Amino acid sequence: MPGSWVPLPLWSHTQINALPVLEVALDKDLLNEPFAARPSSSRSRLPNQVILGTVLHPNGNITELLLKEGFARCVDWSMAVYTQGAEKLRAGEKSAKERKVRIWKDYVAPTANMDQKDRQFVAKVMQVVNADAVVVKLNSGEYKTIHLSSIRPPRIEGEEKNKDKDKRFRPIYDIPYMFEAREFMRKKIIGKKVNVTVDYIRAATSSSETSTIPAFAERTCATVTIGGINIAEALVSKGFATVIRYRQDDDQRSSHYDELLAAEARAIKNGKGLHSKKEVPIHRVADISGETQKAKQFLPFLQRAGRSEAVVEYVFSGSRLKLYMPKETCLITFLLAGIECPRGSRNMPGGMQVAEPFSDEAMAFTKELVLQREVEVEVESMDKAGNFIGWLHIEGVNLSVALVENALSKVHFTAERSSYYKTLVSGEEASRLRKDKIWANYEEKKVEEVCVRGEKERTANYRAVYVTEITDTMHFYTQDVETGTQLENLMETMRAEIAAQPPVEGSYAARRGDYCIANFSADGEWYRARVEKVQSPAKVHVFYIDYGNREIVPSTRLAVIPPAFSTRALAAQATEYTFAYIQVPQDEDARADVVDSLVRDIQNTQCLLNVEHSGVTCPHVTLQFAESKDDVGLSLVKEGMVMVDVRKEKHLQKMVGKWPPWRNSKREMKLNIWRYGDFRDDDADEFGYKLKK
């Protein structure tokens, strides 16, 4: 009659009936469940096979009715073959669960204790973890790891994993199809906003000595979609993941579980990915991070290549990254050129090194901008550890410049030779003016002018200096005695570090304007230097920045300067000066005599120096002997080796006014340049002199 139905005969220990996907087998446990009716006594024997079908009633589908009223639950194994629409059956079961009727009267939903805003939200994908999880950034700025519900990424058995014990196991490259799965997800969703629907929270598990189950932290499992596409379903359909099978009473599963099963069935049928009978793809990726010799061989190739494509695999800090080079199929460690980024905390032999301010912010900035993104890199050089140094670009943005502009890094002195130097300096200046982040406590240093125009009296502020070099043009270089101890300590520490970890010969590519360390030919020691000219790899002109001398050396005697000993740690100590109030002889022999005299009298000795006025190339100074306080320039005038240079400034003429008697005396005695008389008159042009009138 309408509105009634007759129970079908059932057979013990047989999961067959005319109502598909329902648990109706007459196991002992099922018969004892609430709302389970015993079969009638009439029986008939059927062949040992499973028959699936649908019973239709004038009032509707019996299967759907039983589910909706809470008399039955869905059975996974036959859902895939149900032709009337599996979603209708799941909807009926869901309705019964929500109303908690009959067999679901004690049912608690997996996400019952979560707020609606935590169950469904939109987030930006920051990282793809293997092939079954993503790290997303919420609107609040918080980072959260989301696992894709009900799927298992490619995996490898334990014996296969330990097959080559000498080789370091790298899951992303060594597990078949893991790389393809990760790349599929990375290209689809990295850096994009996705819709997240939390399906369940997998409780944390703890491992024990007797258990083989590893310990896992609590996992948030969800369905992630973008543009209406279920990422988990897309992975499964490509054969890049498999669907997890659950116990029938395990309700912690994807809300789209049936679609996942159907996608897996299609992948198996079409032989996709993990289900393919073809040979599995092999990724031979060479990791040359820290391999100095390999990096040295690879360096010229990367330098010639100009901009090379890469994928950022990992971010160690704001300026240190690991890159995957797809064309070269290798991994490299890459350091950003031109900047000095705050260092994070790290373990050192003496204990944990405290992180510098804003190091975490710099790393977060770099991660959000480039992690797992496709970028372009320009490799310029490498350090002694085998790390490559250069510039990284993403969508037209130079990462070094971006860090400086966001006040998360300072401009490094090595940027001076780069075409990006002006942009870096401009960005740093803007950050300083804003006093943002690392510049929050910055105070502009007052620059003392060498000479102030309009000054009425000569100022005499003599300070102790050490004369280190005298040039053929009578310019000389000095070191301040006050900072002499700092230089000695720096040189001692630097040489000890170099002795412990010698530079790789030939690994340094010299470029004009580059700061480096050079092995001085006279004593075989390492000194800080600057490259002035590169004639060839065998002839590199260097200037020793702490002593003022120059030398031509082969590039094999040069190396990258360790950051701890750069000019930011201690400024270049050699300062160039020239003598005030005296004229440099134009005659080469006469000038050579003066230089020889100066070398004998003041080179490698301590003197007293006073800046008299500024010059075109360097300040003009007076120099006194440390013990006698006699003026060095005046002594040259007394010896008849140079002439007095009369200044027009009134406050400087007083100083020169003390010298004429000596000048006239030597002219009368005809010493040195006066030995042939006063050459400044008619024949002045012949000797290169012009009489000032």
Side-chain angles (χ1 to χ4, degrees):
M1 71 175 70
S4 64
W5 55 281
V6 180
L8 295 173
L10 304 173
W11 294 269
S12 178
H13 303 291
T14 309
Q15 273 190 317
I16 80 128
N17 53 77
L19 305 179
V21 300
L22 301 179
E23 277 190 341
V24 291
L26 293 186
D27 287 331
K28 181 178 179 181
D29 293 339
L30 289 176
L31 287 173
N32 292 330
E33 286 188 3
F35 309 103
R38 289 185 175 275
S40 62
S41 58
S42 59
R43 300 183 178 210
S44 62
R45 303 185 67 83
L46 289 178
N48 186 22
Q49 60 181 344
V50 176
I51 300 175
L52 300 177
T54 301
V55 177
L56 298 177
H57 186 274
N59 288 345
N61 189 322
I62 298 299
T63 307
E64 296 175 13
L65 177 64
L66 289 173
L67 289 168
K68 186 175 181 181
E69 295 302 322
F71 285 111
R73 60 168 58 92
C74 293
V75 178
D76 296 332
W77 65 268
S78 58
M79 289 286 286
V81 296
Y82 184 63
T83 59
Q84 302 299 314
E87 66 277 359
K88 296 179 180 178
L89 304 185
R90 293 291 185 190
E93 184 182 65
K94 182 180 180 182
S95 175
K97 289 177 179 177
E98 290 175 350
R99 291 182 288 116
K100 296 187 177 182
V101 297
R102 299 182 177 86
I103 66 174
W104 305 111
K105 63 185 179 70
D106 298 322
Y107 173 76
V108 178
T111 58
N113 297 325
M114 298 181 65
D115 294 334
Q116 179 62 31
K117 64 180 180 64
D118 295 328
R119 286 202 296 266
Q120 288 186 328
F121 52 87
V122 177
K124 182 180 179 181
V125 178
M126 307 305 299
Q127 182 181 1
V128 175
V129 183
N130 290 336
D132 66 335
V134 293
V135 177
V136 299
K137 184 180 181 181
L138 308 180
N139 291 333
S140 62
E142 178 187 357
Y143 286 80
K144 189 177 184 67
T145 301
I146 302 294
H147 292 262
L148 300 181
S149 301
S150 302
I151 69 166
R152 179 178 289 116
R155 59 181 180 176
I156 194 169
E157 300 299 330
E159 294 182 1
E160 192 70 21
K161 178 179 177 179
N162 299 322
K163 190 174 181 180
D164 190 352
K165 295 182 179 180
D166 296 331
K167 181 182 177 182
R168 183 167 61 88
F169 182 68
R170 301 170 301 175
I172 193 69
Y173 304 112
D174 296 335
I175 297 179
Y177 294 103
M178 179 68 84
F179 180 76
E180 286 77 7
R182 197 286 302 269
E183 283 296 278
F184 174 79
M185 290 183 66
R186 184 185 68 80
K187 292 178 180 179
K188 291 289 183 183
I189 62 175
I190 194 70
K192 298 178 181 179
K193 289 190 175 182
V194 296
N195 297 299
V196 180
T197 303
V198 178
D199 295 319
Y200 56 93
I201 305 294
R202 180 69 72 184
T205 59
S206 58
S207 60
S208 61
E209 295 181 359
T210 58
S211 174
T212 58
I213 302 175
F216 291 106
E218 182 182 86
R219 295 185 174 190
T220 300
C221 300
T223 298
V224 178
T225 61
I226 181 171
I229 299 174
N230 184 341
I231 298 300
E233 183 180 351
L235 276 172
V236 172
S237 66
K238 292 283 185 180
F240 295 150
T242 56
V243 181
I244 298 173
R245 266 51 179 189
Y246 298 96
R247 298 189 314 272
Q248 196 58 49
D249 60 345
D250 189 351
D251 200 44
Q252 290 196 332
R253 61 180 68 187
S254 171
S255 54
H256 297 269
Y257 189 70
D258 297 321
E259 288 92 328
L260 296 179
L261 290 174
E264 186 177 54
R266 293 195 302 271
I268 294 173
K269 181 180 178 180
N270 297 324
K272 294 288 187 70
L274 293 166
H275 313 292
S276 174
K277 295 181 181 180
K278 299 178 182 179
E279 291 186 6
V280 298
I282 299 175
H283 299 281
R284 294 184 174 87
V285 179
D287 190 349
I288 60 177
S289 299
E291 297 286 343
T292 307
Q293 291 300 327
K294 291 182 179 178
K296 178 182 174 183
Q297 296 171 2
F298 201 47
L299 176 62
F301 174 79
L302 288 178
Q303 288 175 325
R304 290 193 301 269
R307 289 199 181 190
S308 303
E309 296 178 355
V311 176
V312 179
E313 289 285 359
Y314 192 80
V315 175
F316 299 102
S317 67
S319 60
R320 184 184 181 92
L321 313 95
K322 175 167 279 192
L323 305 181
Y324 169 65
M325 313 290 287
K327 290 184 179 179
E328 297 79 14
T329 60
C330 68
L331 293 167
I332 66 171
T333 300
F334 190 80
L335 308 180
L336 295 180
I339 62 172
E340 186 177 356
C341 213
R343 294 184 178 182
S345 60
R346 54 178 177 170
N347 284 318
M348 301 292 287
M352 179 65 73
Q353 178 177 311
V354 180
E356 295 179 359
F358 298 101
S359 60
D360 292 338
E361 288 83 349
M363 183 167 70
F365 178 86
T366 299
K367 275 187 175 181
E368 183 164 357
L369 189 62
V370 302
L371 180 59
Q372 292 189 339
R373 312 292 179 87
E374 295 174 0
V375 299
E376 290 183 328
V377 294
E378 298 176 78
V379 175
E380 289 194 341
S381 59
M382 60 172 279
D383 63 11
K384 62 183 179 183
N387 303 315
F388 295 98
I389 304 171
W391 308 92
L392 185 145
H393 307 268
I394 177 169
E395 298 176 354
V397 176
N398 184 323
L399 182 55
S400 297
V401 174
L403 283 164
V404 170
E405 290 178 342
N406 284 272
L408 292 170
S409 183
K410 298 179 180 179
V411 178
H412 194 256
F413 68 90
T414 53
E416 293 176 3
R417 67 176 185 269
S418 168
S419 58
Y420 306 108
Y421 181 63
K422 290 184 179 179
T423 308
L424 288 168
V425 171
S426 176
E428 185 179 64
E429 181 64 24
S431 299
R432 273 204 302 262
L433 293 175
R434 296 196 311 269
K435 291 195 173 182
D436 190 17
K437 299 182 179 71
I438 62 175
W439 301 107
N441 300 319
Y442 175 77
E443 292 184 3
E444 191 76 29
K445 293 182 179 179
K446 295 182 179 179
V447 179
E448 296 183 1
E449 295 185 1
V450 174
C451 179
V452 180
R453 292 189 177 183
E455 186 179 14
K456 296 181 179 180
E457 296 295 333
R458 171 181 174 269
T459 303
N461 293 320
Y462 283 90
R463 69 177 188 275
V465 297
Y466 190 82
V467 181
T468 58
E469 180 70 10
I470 298 173
T471 71
D472 293 339
T473 59
M474 286 182 58
H475 285 217
F476 57 94
Y477 290 85
T478 69
Q479 298 172 351
D480 282 347
V481 173
E482 289 184 358
T483 58
T485 304
Q486 296 180 43
L487 178 62
E488 291 178 2
N489 294 337
L490 181 138
M491 297 301 296
E492 183 179 349
T493 307
M494 184 181 77
R495 288 167 181 167
E497 182 174 313
I498 294 172
Q501 295 180 329
V504 178
E505 186 175 304
S507 63
Y508 179 73
R511 295 181 61 178
R512 184 174 177 269
D514 193 6
Y515 285 91
C516 61
I517 53 174
N519 191 259
F520 188 42
S521 59
D523 58 10
E525 295 287 356
W526 290 93
Y527 296 89
R528 302 193 301 175
R530 184 179 70 244
V531 177
E532 292 190 321
K533 182 181 178 181
V534 181
Q535 280 185 264
S536 67
K539 292 184 178 181
V540 181
H541 297 242
V542 297
F543 170 73
Y544 292 99
I545 62 175
D546 296 315
Y547 295 89
N549 55 321
R550 290 172 168 82
E551 188 178 24
I552 300 176
V553 298
S555 59
T556 53
R557 283 171 42 200
L558 302 177
V560 175
I561 186 170
F565 310 108
S566 70
T567 52
R568 285 187 176 270
L570 182 66
Q573 294 298 288
T575 305
E576 183 181 7
Y577 298 106
T578 189
F579 286 98
Y581 311 130
I582 63 175
Q583 296 182 39
V584 177
Q586 300 298 308
D587 181 71
E588 292 184 4
D589 292 338
R591 187 170 63 250
D593 291 339
V594 179
V595 172
D596 290 342
S597 176
L598 290 172
V599 169
R600 289 193 304 270
D601 294 342
I602 65 172
Q603 185 161 329
N604 297 327
T605 64
Q606 184 172 320
C607 296
L608 299 176
L609 180 146
N610 182 64
V611 176
E612 300 293 338
H613 59 87
S614 61
V616 177
T617 58
C618 62
H620 290 233
V621 301
T622 51
L623 209 60
Q624 293 181 352
F625 294 104
E627 295 182 0
S628 64
K629 303 297 188 298
D630 291 336
D631 191 283
V632 176
L634 182 56
S635 67
L636 293 174
V637 174
K638 290 178 179 180
E639 294 297 326
M641 305 191 77
V642 296
M643 293 189 300
V644 174
D645 182 21
V646 180
R647 300 291 302 180
K648 294 181 180 180
E649 298 91 333
K650 291 183 179 181
H651 67 283
L652 297 179
Q653 288 179 357
K654 294 180 180 180
M655 179 69 179
V656 182
K658 303 175 183 178
W659 292 8
W662 293 103
R663 178 186 61 189
N664 295 335
S665 174
K666 294 308 173 185
R667 281 166 53 190
E668 293 171 359
M669 294 173 63
K670 298 184 178 180
L671 294 178
N672 294 316
I673 63 173
W674 308 106
R675 60 184 177 272
Y676 300 116
D678 194 339
F679 55 84
R680 299 175 301 159
D681 297 326
D682 296 337
D683 55 354
D685 290 339
E686 180 183 348
F687 289 92
Y689 289 94
K690 288 187 177 181
L691 184 63
K692 291 185 179 181
K693 297 181 180 179

